């Protein structure tokens, strides 16, 4: 039996390269609270991503929670997608806001702007779309809707590290964008995340919010969380940035190779990635339908038998979870996609032999 192949494996630098950073931390004894490595990583990320202001966080979820708080959204409805990871919806409910789930465009897996428009009421305060799999939402249309209805637009850009759209970072769209640096993401700092914003004032507000609301030694202006990224995490980020272009290139090759091999399997569709100037190939989702002889779950199990652990990102949709049942909405496209999607292993160290092994399992039932 081959050794297990997971949906992803984190990129890590050579351990030797990490030691000097640890020595520096040990020497100056600054472990957290926005120390020198944290500041350096913010600067280097702004330059690499092409954004003006970034605030690092300990993970993407706390960054999402804080982003909503930073916009002073305290009551009302937030229109979002049910086809996502739970953190998107959790961040809305943690802020005591009401999620309103609307349907997606099945071609992109992203929120459908026409459905957003239909769901707007006098209680709507914001839209929170997700650039699912790193595929850009219809950012122009969503901005128009937000502007016309005086709504805040916060992107859950957890999957969208490094993606460019119309010649600039996708993270520059909307009022705020939130990225994740989790171990399973394109760029990881073990755990981590960030909020991208457009002004020094907003960055200062977010930085205070991620530090308990502390303004000075004796003034605390907000009831907020501890969302800071430690120096060890920031150090890893600095190292990861050195190889990020190689990481993205390796992902691109894997994406293209899968597409080539799967081209002629009837009933297996690879979700099209738009012609972004810089894509990040964050995931490799396939959609299974007739005449392919296996259902999604049967294929999932067939792969598992061969020690290949694909994942059903994103199944179930939010409104099929007991905890979100009370926010039920009719989203047939999201439901349908979630029952047919399977994310195949996708990470830079995946070998050609492993890809062939995965594709052979998919082919084995049609030959
Ligand atoms: N918004 C969206 C749209 C998101 O997708 C996410 C996170 C967030 C917000 C929140 O961002 P964070 O707060 O996480 O920064 C994973 C991740 O935990 C989660 O970050 C991610 N989305 C979600 C889509 O996937 P699981 O429960 O599927 O992860 P897990 O532990 O099963 O890992 C998957 C595979 O990855 C494992 O089978 C093996 C491999 N792996 C995983 C870890 C953690 C490793 O090789 N090494 C590792 O350290 O949620």
């Amino acid at each position: 039996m081959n050794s297990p192949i997971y949906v992803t494996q984190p990129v890590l630098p050579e351990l030797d390269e990490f030691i000097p950073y640890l020595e520096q931390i040990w020497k100056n004894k600054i472990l957290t609270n926005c120390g020198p490595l944290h500041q350096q990583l913010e600067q280097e990320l702004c330059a690499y991503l092409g954004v003006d202001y970034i605030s690092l966080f300990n993970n993407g979820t706390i960054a999402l929670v804080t982003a909503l708080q930073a916009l002073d959204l305290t009551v009302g409805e937030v229109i979002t997608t049910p086809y996502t990871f739970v953190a998107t919806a959790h961040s809305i409910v943690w802020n005591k806001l009401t999620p309103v789930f609307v349907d997606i465009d099945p071609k992109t897996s992203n929120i459908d702007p026409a459905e957003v428009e239909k769901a707007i009421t006098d209680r709507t305060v914001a839209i929170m779309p997700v650039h699912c799999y790193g595929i850009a939402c219809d950012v122009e249309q969503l901005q128009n809707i937000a502007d016309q209805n005086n709504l805040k637009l916060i992107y859950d850009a957890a999957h969208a590290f490094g993606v460019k759209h119309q010649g600039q970072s996708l993270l520059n769209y909307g009022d705020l964008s939130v990225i994740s640096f989790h171990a399973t993401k394109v760029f990881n700092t073990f755990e981590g995340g960030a909020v991208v914003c457009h002004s020094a004032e907003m960055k200062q507000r977010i930085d205070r919010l991620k530090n308990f609301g502390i303004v000075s030694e004796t003034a605390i202006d907000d009831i907020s969380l501890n969302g800071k990224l430690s120096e060890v995490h920031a150090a890893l980020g600095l190292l990861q940035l050195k190889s990020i272009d190689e990481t993205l290139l390796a992902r691109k090759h894997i994406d293209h190779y899968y597409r080539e091999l799967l081209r002629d399997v009837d009933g297996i569709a690879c979700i099209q990635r738009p012609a972004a100037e810089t894509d990040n190939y964050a995931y490799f989702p396939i959609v299974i339908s007739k005449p392919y002889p296996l259902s999604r779950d049967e294929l999932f199990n067939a792969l598992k038998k061969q020690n290949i652990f694909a994942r059903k990102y994103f199944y179930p949709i939010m409104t099929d979870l007991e905890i979100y049942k009370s926010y039920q909405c009719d989203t047939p496209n999201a439901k349908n996609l979630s029952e047919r999607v399977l994310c195949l292993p996708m990470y830079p160290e995946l070998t050609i032999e492993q890809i062939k092994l995965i594709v052979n399992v998919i082919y084995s039932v049609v030959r």
Side-chain angles (χ1 to χ4, degrees), residues 6-10 58-62 64 84-88 130-132 156-159 178-185 190-193 283 309 311 313-314:
Y6 298 107
V7 69
T8 187
Q9 285 266 277
N58 52 359
N59 61 58
T61 306
I62 300 294
L64 279 170
T84 182
F85 187 62
V86 282
T88 318
V130 177
H131 299 302
C132 195
D156 179 339
H159 303 173
V178 176
I179 354 173
S180 166
F181 304 151
H182 183 260
T184 55
K185 296 296 187 290
F190 302 125
E191 287 263 9
Y283 291 84
F309 299 93
R311 291 298 287 264
Y313 296 139
F314 287 102

Side-chain angles (χ1 to χ4, degrees), residues 20-21 24-25 28 30 33-49 54-56 181 187 189 203 210 229-231 233-242:
Y21 289 86
Q24 185 184 330
I25 294 168
N28 68 20
I30 303 289
N33 287 9
C34 310
L37 297 173
H38 179 288
Q39 289 172 37
Q40 190 184 338
L41 182 58
E42 285 192 346
Q43 282 166 15
E44 291 195 17
L45 281 172
C46 280
Y48 179 78
L49 295 169
I54 198 162
S55 294
L56 298 177
F181 304 151
F187 171 87
T189 57
K203 175 168 165 52
K210 79 175 186 193
L229 189 80
S230 84
E231 288 291 276
H233 293 81
L236 183 68
L238 287 167
L239 262 178
Q240 302 283 41
L241 261 187
K242 292 183 199 286

Side-chain angles (χ1 to χ4, degrees), residues 30-322:
I30 303 289
L31 311 186
T32 184
N33 287 9
C34 310
L37 297 173
H38 179 288
Q39 289 172 37
Q40 190 184 338
L41 182 58
E42 285 192 346
Q43 282 166 15
E44 291 195 17
L45 281 172
C46 280
Y48 179 78
L49 295 169
V51 300
D52 289 335
Y53 300 96
I54 198 162
S55 294
L56 298 177
F57 275 79
N58 52 359
N59 61 58
T61 306
I62 300 294
L64 279 170
V65 169
T66 308
L68 286 165
Q69 190 181 8
L71 294 171
D72 295 318
L73 302 174
T74 51
V75 63
E77 296 174 351
V78 178
I79 299 174
T80 191
T81 168
Y83 190 83
T84 182
F85 187 62
V86 282
T88 318
H90 283 3
S91 71
I92 296 171
V93 177
W94 266 98
N95 276 284
K96 298 195 165 49
L97 296 160
T98 307
V100 173
F101 296 103
V102 303
D103 212 354
I104 58 165
D105 173 347
K107 286 199 290 299
T108 62
S109 69
N110 287 329
I111 204 163
D112 181 344
E115 295 297 318
V116 171
E117 224 163 359
K118 280 194 235 160
I120 294 172
T121 68
D122 53 8
R123 293 179 302 282
T124 311
V125 290
I127 313 169
M128 188 184 269
V130 177
H131 299 302
C132 195
Y133 309 132
I135 297 170
C137 291
D138 186 343
V139 286
E140 287 81 15
Q141 223 11 59
L142 289 167
Q143 191 63 59
N144 284 341
I145 295 169
D147 291 344
Q148 279 162 18
N149 296 279
N150 199 20
L151 303 175
K152 298 292 183 196
L153 182 53
I154 306 109
Y155 282 105
D156 179 339
H159 303 173
F161 185 95
V163 178
K164 288 201 170 149
H165 178 78
Q166 304 288 351
Q168 63 162 319
S169 172
L170 183 59
L171 305 170
N172 282 330
Y173 290 83
D175 292 289
L176 299 173
S177 286
V178 176
I179 354 173
S180 166
F181 304 151
H182 183 260
T184 55
K185 296 296 187 290
V186 165
F187 171 87
N188 86 79
T189 57
F190 302 125
E191 287 263 9
V195 180
V196 170
C197 66
H198 305 297
S199 73
E201 295 71 38
M202 180 53 85
K203 175 168 165 52
Q204 187 185 52
R205 170 137 180 78
I206 293 167
D207 285 347
R208 283 178 180 168
L209 287 174
K210 79 175 186 193
N211 190 27
F212 313 98
I214 293 175
V215 175
S216 70
E217 278 186 35
T218 50
I220 297 160
D221 279 6
D222 287 280
I223 300 171
S224 61
L225 297 170
N226 175 2
K228 291 168 283 136
L229 189 80
S230 84
E231 288 291 276
V232 174
H233 293 81
L236 183 68
L238 287 167
L239 262 178
Q240 302 283 41
L241 261 187
K242 292 183 199 286
S243 60
I244 186 68
D245 288 337
E246 284 163 46
T247 298
L248 295 179
L249 190 63
R251 288 179 166 276
K252 179 178 182 171
H253 289 149
I254 293 166
D255 179 284
H256 290 13
Y257 196 51
Y258 265 134
R259 278 175 205 276
E260 182 65 27
L261 294 181
L262 291 169
R263 208 179 42 193
D264 298 326
V265 194
D266 286 342
I268 299 284
C270 307
I271 289 193
Q272 277 311 313
R273 304 195 68 94
E277 300 98 285
T278 309
D279 195 348
N280 69 2
Y281 306 94
Y283 291 84
F284 196 83
I286 58 169
V287 184
I288 297 117
S289 33
K290 295 265 174 264
Y292 190 73
L294 301 185
S295 68
R296 185 273 309 274
D297 289 352
E298 286 165 344
L299 178 57
F300 173 84
N301 287 329
L303 288 163
K304 206 170 181 176
K305 269 198 197 130
Q306 301 302 319
N307 239 1
I308 298 162
F309 299 93
R311 291 298 287 264
K312 302 172 198 176
Y313 296 139
F314 287 102
Y315 173 87
I317 56 169
M318 291 304 103
T319 41
D320 280 347
L321 292 170
E322 201 53 45

